[in-house]
Amino acid sequence: MSVFESTEQLALHYDAVLPAGVREGNAVIVVRPPADGAPAPAYLLRVRRYALPLTSMRRRAGGADQDLEDVQAVVLPEEPRELGYPLPPWPATGALEYHLTWAQDPQGPAVGATAQERVLFLVRLLAEDRGAARTVAAGRITVTWTDPSDVGGRPLAQPRCGPSLPAPLREAVDALVRADAEPVPGCVHCAMLWELRLLEQAELVRELAEEHHAAEVADWVARWLPDSADGFRLHVNPCRCVRARLGARPDPADRWWSADPAARPHLDAELHDRLVAARRRHVVHHLRTVNSAPPTP
């Protein structure tokens, strides 16, 4: 699972990209106490469903060694799609975890049968004090279903028109193909940086393809959807940031790395936010392409 939304008090862990045809899934909602230790009001976790039903919700407090227990939702009569979960007292250590599952409604409209993106749930953490409620944090669980036949499950190959492209575009395409062939680093930080560089290089290719009216290249890059878990990929460990902590020269292009351990969580959060934004931009182009026209023969 990847973290696709994260704030000081709320984090959402879920698989954001699934093959078309997958009809069920799960997510973990992590709720943390306020960092300032202020007197806690009554908290309420609200989950509003959109595309698919929520089939179960379980909770545990304090960490992975604790048991999961079923929790019952408070359903608002005027808004049956919105489920409320009053939070228990904060655990002495760790956070509260809510494990939800979702599944396709056999009687409802088909969701995820073809390449598409859908918002499944809106998650809000509310603080209630003296009859008023304010939103402390919020996030969305959004899933993209992709066509398994799309490029992405195999190494990225040059487009057929590659040799005839204008030099700036040809060089950008070559750089993307080389970057896609690089091994995936073993730590979370370097893996995020690896994916961000790929997506930003793809964005450069897309911009140059538009500038040079290279429709075949624009189609080629939009249909490509990289995944660090692709079976063909190699992995490298120790990664560059681990070697830097052991005395090697840091990656000069990694502006989210620091020798100060206290600074790393904040820098990793910045890197994560930039990666999420890049993923979303690429997925938008991917979905527009696969849903608008057949692949280039």
Side-chain angles (χ1 to χ4, degrees), residues 167-231:
L169 178 55
R170 185 177 65 250
E171 291 166 4
V173 166
D174 290 345
L176 179 59
V177 172
R178 288 195 304 270
D180 184 63
E182 291 181 1
V184 182
C187 83
V188 172
H189 173 89
C190 289
M192 287 196 297
L193 186 63
W194 170 88
E195 185 180 353
L196 177 63
R197 286 172 171 170
L198 269 184
L199 294 174
E200 291 188 339
Q201 184 64 29
E203 199 161 21
L204 174 61
V205 169
R206 189 166 59 246
E207 291 171 355
L208 288 171
E210 292 175 359
E211 179 182 334
H212 292 280
H213 308 289
E216 184 177 341
V217 175
D219 181 89
W220 169 80
V221 74
R223 290 181 181 279
W224 170 72
L225 205 62
D227 188 339
S228 61
D230 286 331

Side-chain angles (χ1 to χ4, degrees), residues 232-291:
F232 69 85
R233 296 198 184 278
L234 300 176
H235 296 262
V236 60
N237 204 16
C239 60
R240 190 155 184 174
C241 78
V242 169
R243 294 199 298 269
R245 289 199 291 270
L246 297 176
R249 182 172 177 264
D251 180 353
D254 182 1
R255 59 188 180 87
W256 295 279
W257 187 85
S258 172
D260 179 7
R264 289 176 198 152
H266 174 70
L267 291 171
D268 276 348
E270 285 187 0
L271 173 59
H272 169 263
D273 290 345
R274 182 157 175 170
L275 173 58
V276 168
R279 280 173 178 163
R280 286 176 174 162
R281 290 194 300 271
H282 189 74
V283 164
V284 166
H285 285 276
H286 174 82
L287 291 172
R288 285 175 180 168
T289 300
V290 300
N291 288 328

